[in-house]
Structure formats: structure tokens, C-alpha cells
Amino acid sequence: MVRSFAEELSERVEEMYPSFHVQLTMEIVDKRLGPVKAEAEIAIQPVKSKEHIEILVEELVSEHIFADENGSIYGSFGIDQSIEIYDEVLATIPFGKLIENETWQETIDASISEDNLKTRLEKALNDYQFSDLSGKYKFRKRCTIAELHSIR
């Protein structure tokens, strides 16, 4: 039986790229808050039906964040929660791009480099919606990642 490149690539990716742990420290643009630590589990998963590889956050959880409504010069909402992100796709790599490249591992390695992960995780954090203390309103905060360490 002839195996397709997609099947072979999927098996090789699953063997060579297990999930890995990332520790990060982020800065949230809000004078009431200091640095916030978080941990994330990153996975590289082939999706044969869509013919691409997904780089995704399986789970990202921050330490608890609290900011009272009264302390902000902006009249911001209060915050009393942790950031929790689950199963969010950070990037996709089409199988076609990997087929063209003999050193396909380098393409995947570049996509999961600390710089690329930092940029993609910042985007996910900036898209995260906080809830006010009443749970009635949703809002976003600008976040930057000050430190990121991969543990593989």
C-alpha cells in the first residue's frame, strides 16, 4: 500500500514534536497591575483533513489578577480573574509549504522559536476579553510579554 506524504508527515511531526511547556511574564497596560506570570502548554498537531499543521495553545493560565475599580486614573473596570485560554490556534503551516521544502523541520522549528511564540502569544493575549467585577461587561487590555522561556 502506498502511503501519502500527508500521512507520513503527520506521523513524523507527532513523533518529533511533542507538546511543550512555556513560562511567561507579561505586562498588562494598566497602572494598577504589575507583571503577571503565566504558564502555557503548546502543541504542534497535524490536521490531515485540512492538510496543515496547527501550532496551538492547548492551555494558558495566568496567576490571579486583581485590580479594584477605584484605583484607575482611566476609570477602568475592575478585574478579579485569571487569564485562561484553551485550544487557540496560533498559526498554521500548509502541508504544501512543507512538501516544497526538503528541510521541513526548519520551517516548523522557526514557527515555534521563542520570538515567534512571543509574537503569537501576545496577539492571543491582546484578543483576550476580561470581564468586569459584575460579569456584565467585556473589555480588552493591551499586553506585552516581557519574558518567555520554553521548557522542552
Side-chain angles (χ1 to χ4, degrees), residues 3 9 11 26-27 34 38 48 54 103 113 117-118 121 123-124 128 141:
R3 291 174 38 137
L9 179 66
E11 285 180 15
M26 69 185 100
E27 300 281 341
K48 293 179 207 170
E54 291 180 343
T103 55
S113 70
L117 281 177
K118 184 176 177 180
L121 285 169
K123 183 181 180 326
Y128 183 79
K141 290 281 187 184

Side-chain angles (χ1 to χ4, degrees), residues 41-93:
E41 194 70 26
I42 308 294
I44 296 95
Q45 296 181 340
V47 182
K48 293 179 207 170
S49 63
K50 295 182 180 179
E51 296 187 349
H52 68 235
I53 292 173
E54 291 180 343
I55 299 167
L56 66 119
V57 176
E58 288 184 323
E59 176 181 42
L60 182 145
V61 178
S62 76
E63 61 190 9
H64 191 80
I65 303 166
F66 179 78
D68 196 2
E69 292 177 16
N70 300 328
S72 174
I73 61 172
Y74 306 110
S76 293
F77 294 115
I79 301 172
D80 189 10
Q81 68 186 85
S82 296
I83 295 174
E84 296 179 2
I85 299 173
Y86 299 99
D87 298 324
E88 183 165 328
V89 177
L90 298 175
T92 59
I93 306 169

Side-chain angles (χ1 to χ4, degrees), residues 29-44:
V29 179
D30 188 320
K31 300 231 183 255
R32 301 170 294 173
L33 302 172
V36 176
K37 295 195 181 299
E39 295 188 1
E41 194 70 26
I42 308 294
I44 296 95

